[in-house]
Amino acid sequence: ELDMDTIDAIAVAAGPGSFTGLRIGSATAKGLGLALDKPLVGIPTVEALAYNLYDVNGLICPIMDARRKQVYTGIYRYEMGEAVTFLGDGVPVFKDIIADKLTVPFSFAPAHLSRQRAGAVGALGVLYYKEGRTETAAEHKPDYLRVSQAERERAQKLKKGSEGENA
């Protein structure tokens, strides 16, 4: 029974992440923002993942598996300290490398805290909104960080086609 007029802004995971997921989320948020004339608050996905561990001492290092042996990551500190806590779907992929290479105390967050959560996006949305970090629905664009697989494959086909013409 929420009155849509009481909404101040719409928080949306802004990326990085899957192309399909970001497009669906952004399209939904933009549609609501335009229809309700409300600002959007784009939340960096890695920051929202780190926010699952808000108030943890030490460094927080979310790792999102970007495939092809790449990750999206960041380092966050909510309280000062030296230990590092890793979380995210990239942990199982890179856990052995982390354990082998890291020379400071570290731990891995439990699986239930290692997933992206709408609640963390919403909580950060409130903080960002209060700081004035908004954008119009028309301005909002997801942060893909790289081109999609379909775009890479198309570029390869075009490149091969142009090489064949020059031969």
Side-chain angles (χ1 to χ4, degrees), residues 38-150:
K38 301 292 181 179
L40 269 55
V41 183
I43 304 297
T45 312
V46 174
E47 187 172 338
L49 186 56
Y51 204 70
N52 285 343
L53 299 183
Y54 178 79
D55 210 23
V56 166
N57 289 326
L59 299 175
I60 298 168
C61 184
I63 302 173
M64 293 174 59
D65 186 7
R67 310 290 188 254
R68 298 189 336 260
K69 296 185 179 181
Q70 296 177 343
V71 298
Y72 304 121
T73 189
I75 299 287
Y76 298 86
R77 175 181 281 144
Y78 294 108
E79 296 290 327
M80 300 302 246
E82 297 299 324
V84 181
T85 304
F86 293 91
L87 74 157
D89 66 359
V91 168
V93 179
F94 296 97
K95 190 174 189 175
D96 292 340
I97 293 170
I98 293 167
D100 183 50
K101 303 289 183 191
L102 211 60
T103 60
V104 298
F106 66 91
S107 63
F108 299 104
H112 72 281
L113 294 177
S114 285
R115 300 291 173 244
Q116 299 168 30
R117 298 171 144 185
V121 172
L124 281 172
V126 170
L127 296 176
Y128 276 35
Y129 178 76
K130 288 179 179 176
E131 293 172 1
R133 296 167 65 178
T134 65
E135 60 191 346
T136 67
E139 293 169 327
H140 176 74
K141 294 179 189 167
D143 187 6
Y144 295 117
L145 294 187
R146 65 180 188 194
V147 298
S148 70
Q149 182 176 345

